[in-house]
Amino acid sequence: MIGLSGILFFVAFGVYAVSALLYIARITLRRSSAKNFTLADKLGDWGFWLCTAGVVAQAAGIVFRWVGSGVVPMSNMYEYMSFLGWSVMLFFVLISYWYKLPGLGAFVAPVGVIMIAYASVFPTEVKPLVPVLQSFWLPLHVSTAALGEGAFAVSFGAALMYLLRIRKDGALSAFEEKMLEFIGFSATVLVGFVVVALGSKWTGYQAILTNSGNGAQSLKYTLPPLVGPVGSVAGEGSLFGMDLPLFIAPGWMNGANAGKQFNTLIWAILVGAVIYFILRILVGPLRELGSKAVMGMNAKLLDEVSYRGIAVGFPLFTLGGLVFAMIWAQKAWGAYWSWDPKETWALISWLFYSGYLHMRIVRGWEGRPAAWVSAAGFPLILFTLVGVNLLISGLHSYAAG
Amino acid sequence: MDEQVVTEETTAPEPEKPSKDFLDRTWDFFASVPVAVVLLFIVAAASVAGTLVPQEGMYSDWRTPSEFYPFRYGAFWGNLLWKTGMTRMYTSWWFMGLLFMVGASLIICSLERFIPLWKAVQRPNIAPPSSFVKHLKNRFEYKPVAGAEALAPLAAALKSAHYTVVQKDGRIYADKGRWGRWGPYILHIGLIFILVGAMVRVFPGAYMDQFIWVQDGEIAKVPGANWFVRNDKFTLETYENGQPKAYKTQAVIIEADGTESKEHTISMNLPLQHKWIELYQSSYKNEVGTAVVSLTDRATKQQIGTFTLDLHQPETAYKVGAYTVKINEYFPDFGLEGGKPVSRSSQVNNPGAVLEVIGPDGKAYKNWYFVAYPEMEFDPTTPVTLGTEEVTERYTTGLKVKKDLGIPVIWFGLIVVSLSVCVTFYLPHRRYWALVEDGRVFVGGWTNRNQTSFGDEMNRLANRIDPKNNPLQTVVEGEER
Ligand code: HEM
């Protein structure tokens, strides 16, 4: 059962990746010449059906894993991230169907693909649940929150498309132009992060470094240590004969894992920057590329789709991220709210999105300003999910995988 | 939202008064949605700050806050953070102040808009000017079949789509999903319940957060209550790989008069609830409980017998067959200080005792006995040797004792929020107006959400009533998608 579920996961992943490529090919073809419209739209239809099939396959995979292990598959990072990827794809399929907007695929499908690739970085074995996680509020809390986040991801894609669309009308300030390009760059850094993580998993690279940070004596690096933890010395690790670490983390980074996380961040930025500059040389600024992709689309429609993603996701996120979370915390710890960093960041995201919703009812704030909030909202969600685990620890640190 | 309807429906017509006093201006400030938006973002930003600065009680360092923050951030910044309450952000006066402003804004904004909205939704204008209907963004026209009642097909179609249809003076007004409009207001009320529920704890006696240790078999008084809890047995279950699987305490509630009123196995996620107080499984410790001590004849190596020594409260003497063992001195946590035997604590960590064994012949021999090291004898000439056959463990369960009278209020608020947030976003309010002019029927529609699917619904409706003039639209032609 669990083996089958693993196969279905990879099938779904492959299918999503192909469909994302099809969507990108569709847009590219449509931009090349009117002759290609029929072929392009055929590719778009294929993309849609593949995506739908992937969603079904992955759903089956999730159910099989559940049945096979007897534990709701919502308790470690692998399960959680792949569920999140599934929910992004699910809402993408739904919303692009409602609005007959295949153009969304070129922007949202890759988000789902990256998420699932990231999920596969984590160990996939089923681990028995520690006592605090043995509650049916856990899967309820996690899955509902993830569904809401999936819808937010679709809104994020549509908001970006909206901004890229209106920038052609000269609606954006120089600063906003820079921000758009920065979002593009950040996306390549995320890709870099996933590439680096997968690379370290596949090559099995390891280096043991001395660590005088809090808590541990030595630290296992799974990436070549450009930055060593406080206390390490050059030569403890190496890459192609080069003595590593090149330099040591600054003294204030004295968390047990701080040096290692800093190293991961540097690798992600390096790889991301390389990808970014290759793209930049090949196709020019990413925002230009994006604008070309959304050329001719209806800005009002994109705006509505972006709003719809949040309108669908907000109730789900409210239930999953706050209501169920509070009930569970009360049952497990006897405190419905303890200002734990993860909790607080969920609240921050929720306040942020409720800010968005209220902006929609203020004249003059409902278009471009709101789109920026939606575009910033999903990175905020990602930070809550991944960043908080890496950078701030707390009660939820089980999720660090 | 359609502009015209916004002005018609939701803006309170408020004539500008010549001079406003302070109260009026405060009211206006909190009645403004832009102010609310800014407040929400400020609370979000303030919460971020609270996760970046390690909060008091959360950092892992032995220093007190007044020492820790200057140490961590330098004298200036550390003291600044500490003095301004950034280090206990979520209880600081200014965070409370912000929440209070959000609450005020929530209440005043809702009050300000509720009555106009109530009128617009519950007592709609059935016969607005025809220009209003004709200028709605969503609209269509149809030509009634000659001789038939012009509005009848529309009324029938709307009724079959579960609309509430009002027909009067040659006009139609139909709507559905009114609750969707009340959603935000109910949601805000739910949020206020949550805020109020969280504040209940400031009342004396409404809140308590304590902790008790209860040994297996012992009874403990529950703080803040006039009843007791007995721990019959704590169990720690583990998986095969040694990872903990369950922590359980078999607990019995004992009232002040001694009656046992409740039995419950407390475990993670399954607290025991009794008279507004909840007991949560939150910790445990594991100590030695008793030792089975054996007496052996030194010469023949024949065992004489055994007795069970209670390591927490040893008896003064035990009988083993014809022998008597007296406990002369007992050190639950044996150590030496200045060459003298002492007990370092009252915990049973390294139990040691001076035993006096009295044989059948009435002769007494003293010797040291250590439970963990029975072979460490001080007098190897006594006729009887002592040995440890078995040591049993005794668990102590750590229970969190929690009382919060705000919880029911919070739960109620959460239910209200859950229902209303779904109603708000999943139940759109859709309205139709129709009128007859120049032998044609003009139909206009408005919705507060999901414009596209409302447009589709309208298009299908128009097509059903008058297919010739209203073809079904599928994908908008000529527009990139
Ligand atoms: C600062 C305090 C707040 C004020 C003054 C405020 C005010 C308002 C107002 C005036 C509306 C419009 C109601 C209507 O359409 O008739 C509204 C809608 C709404 N409010 Fe609030 N609100 C506040 C806080 C919140 C918070 C913290 C949430 C959290 C979930 C929230 C959730 C909503 C939602 C979901 C809507 C519906 C939005 C929509 O129609 O798209 N509000 N709020």
Side-chain angles (χ1 to χ4, degrees):
Chain A
M1 274 286 196
I2 295 178
L4 181 60
S5 145
I7 295 172
L8 283 170
F9 173 83
F10 277 105
V11 168
F13 175 65
V15 164
Y16 293 150
V18 172
S19 110
L21 290 177
L22 285 176
Y23 277 120
I24 293 170
R26 171 183 174 275
I27 293 255
T28 319
L29 273 178
R30 283 193 76 107
R31 293 294 165 273
S32 62
S33 136
K35 282 204 308 282
N36 297 330
F37 278 14
T38 339
L39 175 61
D41 286 344
K42 198 162 268 160
L43 292 187
D45 287 347
W46 268 98
F48 179 78
W49 291 117
L50 275 181
C51 237
T52 314
V55 168
V56 173
Q58 202 188 344
I62 293 169
V63 172
F64 284 157
R65 191 177 168 92
W66 186 352
V67 175
S69 68
V71 180
V72 196
M74 219 67 74
S75 47
N76 59 34
M77 250 340 227
Y78 163 71
E79 293 169 340
Y80 182 68
M81 283 316 278
S82 56
F83 188 85
L84 183 60
W86 179 75
S87 112
V88 172
M89 288 318 219
L90 174 72
F91 281 103
F92 160 66
V93 164
L94 285 178
I95 289 182
S96 83
Y97 175 75
W98 288 338
Y99 290 94
K100 303 196 176 49
L101 190 66
L104 200 57
F107 288 81
V108 180
V111 175
V113 173
I114 294 176
M115 225 147 235
I116 295 199
Y118 181 52
S120 69
V121 170
F122 294 94
T124 59
E125 75 259 30
V126 178
K127 282 236 183 83
L129 292 182
V130 296
V132 66
L133 301 182
Q134 298 163 9
S135 164
F136 85 105
W137 291 107
L138 161 72
L140 207 59
H141 153 57
V142 172
S143 60
T144 319
L147 282 174
E149 289 160 354
F152 290 158
V154 178
S155 167
F156 163 78
L160 270 190
M161 289 168 76
Y162 171 78
L163 291 168
L164 290 167
R165 173 69 189 77
I166 61 172
R167 73 177 276 277
K168 272 293 161 204
D169 309 335
L172 300 190
S173 68
F175 174 71
E176 289 173 295
E177 292 280 347
K178 283 208 187 75
M179 284 310 290
L180 266 184
E181 196 61 24
F182 179 70
I183 291 178
F185 175 74
S186 310
T188 63
V189 169
L190 272 188
V191 172
F193 178 57
V194 173
V195 166
V196 161
L198 280 176
S200 98
K201 182 173 173 165
W202 286 333
T203 57
Y205 180 91
Q206 273 194 15
I208 309 285
L209 299 190
T210 321
N211 185 18
S212 64
N214 281 336
Q217 304 302 308
S218 68
L219 192 57
K220 191 172 84 184
Y221 269 50
T222 52
L223 288 173
L226 298 178
V227 188
V230 181
S232 59
V233 288
E236 289 189 295
S238 72
L239 178 69
F240 304 130
M242 179 169 60
D243 273 355
L244 294 178
L246 293 180
F247 60 100
I248 308 299
W252 54 266
M253 283 197 182
N254 56 2
N257 279 316
K260 180 172 158 182
Q261 280 150 8
F262 186 45
N263 187 56
T264 307
L265 188 69
I266 292 197
W267 270 106
I269 291 177
L270 276 181
V271 174
V274 169
I275 301 176
Y276 176 79
F277 283 106
I278 293 177
L279 280 176
R280 175 118 198 185
I281 290 162
L282 290 181
V283 295
L286 294 187
R287 60 182 191 283
E288 285 295 340
L289 183 70
S291 284
K292 218 170 145 196
V294 297
M295 199 169 63
M297 289 194 190
N298 181 340
K300 261 205 127 104
L301 180 73
L302 292 173
D303 183 49
E304 194 189 327
V305 171
S306 153
Y307 169 65
R308 189 77 190 271
I310 291 175
V312 169
F314 191 77
L316 290 167
F317 189 68
T318 305
L319 283 175
L322 289 155
V323 176
F324 296 156
M326 282 166 80
I327 297 175
W328 181 32
Q330 178 68 31
K331 291 248 176 275
W333 295 308
Y336 55 84
W337 199 264
S338 34
W339 295 104
D340 162 71
K342 192 98 174 181
E343 248 172 35
T344 309
W345 276 91
L347 176 73
I348 291 161
S349 320
W350 182 74
L351 287 170
F352 199 75
Y353 279 108
S354 68
Y356 172 92
L357 290 168
H358 291 92
M359 283 173 83
R360 300 286 305 197
I361 56 177
V362 176
R363 205 161 307 161
W365 288 8
E366 75 276 42
R368 190 169 50 98
W372 277 110
V373 171
S374 168
F378 191 61
L380 202 63
I381 293 276
L382 283 184
F383 183 79
T384 306
L385 292 179
V386 183
V388 174
N389 290 344
L390 289 181
L391 303 175
I392 312 171
S393 62
L395 297 172
H396 283 72
S397 45
Y398 79 90
Chain B
M1 234 183 237
D2 195 288
E3 306 247 321
Q4 295 182 5
V5 182
V6 173
T7 36
E8 189 204 57
E9 287 190 344
T10 49
T11 325
E14 203 187 353
E16 204 65 30
K17 292 198 194 86
S19 80
K20 294 190 164 192
D21 62 13
F22 177 70
L23 214 64
D24 277 339
R25 277 201 305 254
T26 312
W27 180 274
D28 288 353
F29 176 78
F30 284 117
S32 138
V33 181
V35 167
V37 171
V38 172
L39 279 174
L40 289 174
F41 285 131
I42 292 178
V43 175
S47 309
V48 172
T51 68
L52 299 183
V53 179
Q55 298 290 293
E56 285 174 29
M58 301 268 230
Y59 58 78
S60 49
D61 196 287
W62 48 268
R63 292 174 179 84
T64 61
S66 61
E67 296 162 354
F68 174 73
Y69 291 102
F71 162 76
R72 174 82 166 71
Y73 295 100
F76 177 73
W77 290 109
N79 279 318
L80 190 71
L81 290 175
W82 191 56
K83 293 266 162 55
T84 52
M86 292 285 281
T87 60
R88 44 188 180 280
M89 180 69 99
Y90 307 112
T91 49
S92 67
W93 58 270
W94 55 271
F95 194 76
M96 290 297 144
L98 270 176
L99 286 187
F100 178 79
M101 281 169 79
V102 167
S105 159
L106 205 69
I107 294 170
I108 293 175
C109 228
S110 299
L111 284 179
E112 186 84 346
R113 298 166 138 242
F114 180 75
I115 292 171
L117 186 69
W118 178 267
K119 286 194 186 132
V121 172
Q122 300 301 78
R123 280 188 265 125
N125 185 357
I126 292 170
S130 70
S131 68
F132 169 76
V133 178
K134 287 180 188 168
H135 283 102
L136 282 169
K137 203 176 87 208
N138 288 297
R139 57 175 186 272
F140 69 93
E141 301 167 21
Y142 70 88
K143 232 181 150 54
V145 180
E149 158 71 274
L151 293 174
L154 179 66
L158 286 171
K159 268 187 196 134
S160 73
H162 308 293
Y163 276 82
T164 311
V165 181
V166 185
Q167 248 177 304
K168 216 170 112 189
D169 310 329
R171 296 274 196 144
I172 279 187
Y173 172 78
D175 75 341
K176 76 171 172 190
R178 282 182 189 181
W179 274 100
R181 297 300 285 285
W182 304 124
Y185 294 85
I186 304 172
L187 173 59
H188 293 152
I189 293 171
L191 293 174
I192 290 169
F193 270 99
I194 295 176
L195 286 179
V196 169
M199 284 187 317
V200 164
R201 65 175 62 181
V202 304
F203 294 104
Y207 183 84
M208 173 180 61
D209 188 356
Q210 300 269 358
F211 187 89
I212 48 173
W213 289 109
V214 198
Q215 237 172 43
D216 274 1
E218 279 198 344
I219 298 178
K221 172 149 188 334
V222 172
N226 61 351
W227 42 274
F228 303 80
V229 60
R230 188 177 77 222
N231 164 17
D232 279 348
K233 190 170 169 46
F234 173 86
T235 24
L236 164 67
E237 290 171 21
T238 50
Y239 293 104
E240 274 152 27
N241 66 1
Q243 192 191 327
K245 181 178 179 185
Y247 309 108
K248 288 181 183 160
T249 302
Q250 275 166 269
V252 176
I253 300 288
I254 300 171
E255 300 296 338
D257 63 5
T259 52
E260 299 187 357
S261 59
K262 200 181 255 182
E263 266 183 59
H264 179 86
T265 302
I266 304 174
S267 67
M268 223 52 201
N269 289 304
L270 278 176
L272 184 161
Q273 194 174 16
H274 188 61
K275 295 190 180 159
W276 296 100
I277 291 184
E278 287 186 313
L279 301 178
Y280 292 85
Q281 185 66 55
S282 97
S283 185
Y284 76 94
K285 55 187 184 191
N286 180 1
E287 294 169 317
V288 281
T290 59
V292 177
V293 186
S294 63
L295 273 65
T296 308
D297 189 301
R298 195 183 294 273
T300 63
K301 301 227 162 30
Q302 288 271 309
Q303 198 181 71
I304 298 162
T306 61
F307 68 96
T308 304
L309 176 65
D310 186 328
L311 297 171
H312 291 265
Q313 280 171 328
E315 311 269 330
T316 48
Y318 292 89
K319 270 242 164 281
V320 186
Y323 290 75
T324 306
V325 181
K326 275 175 142 175
I327 316 290
N328 282 4
E329 285 179 83
Y330 179 61
F331 307 91
D333 190 4
F334 177 85
L336 286 173
E337 236 164 59
K340 281 204 178 141
V342 291
S343 191
R344 292 200 195 94
S345 70
S346 58
Q347 307 262 326
V348 185
N349 288 336
N350 179 23
V354 179
L355 302 188
E356 188 174 345
V357 180
I358 305 165
D361 53 2
K363 284 202 176 131
Y365 303 92
K366 270 195 205 169
N367 210 347
W368 275 93
Y369 165 66
F370 297 98
V371 175
Y373 318 98
E375 66 288 348
M376 269 181 47
E377 291 181 290
F378 280 65
D379 181 358
T381 61
T382 54
V384 172
T385 57
L386 298 160
T388 306
E389 297 292 304
E390 191 191 341
V391 178
T392 60
E393 301 202 306
R394 182 183 298 185
Y395 283 100
T396 303
T397 186
L399 299 176
K400 178 172 188 163
V401 182
K402 187 87 192 236
K403 175 181 182 181
D404 187 350
L405 297 186
I407 296 277
V409 186
I410 300 257
W411 272 192
F412 179 74
L414 289 181
I415 293 172
V416 171
V417 164
S418 305
L419 295 177
S420 58
V421 77
C422 292
V423 164
T424 304
F425 289 103
Y426 300 152
L427 189 70
H429 186 213
R430 296 179 165 183
R431 350 173 59 177
Y432 283 94
W433 289 268
L435 55 91
V436 191
E437 225 174 71
D438 309 327
R440 299 176 70 77
V441 180
F442 292 86
V443 186
W446 178 90
T447 184
N448 63 336
R449 248 170 260 286
N450 306 353
Q451 302 299 335
T452 305
S453 83
F454 182 61
D456 288 349
E457 176 191 276
M458 199 169 207
N459 179 236
R460 282 195 304 274
L461 189 73
N463 177 264
R464 207 164 108 194
I465 296 172
D466 185 359
K468 210 166 83 232
N469 290 318
N470 296 295
L472 264 189
Q473 290 160 12
T474 47
V475 173
V476 187
E477 279 306 316
E479 188 178 85
E480 182 68 66
R481 293 224 164 203

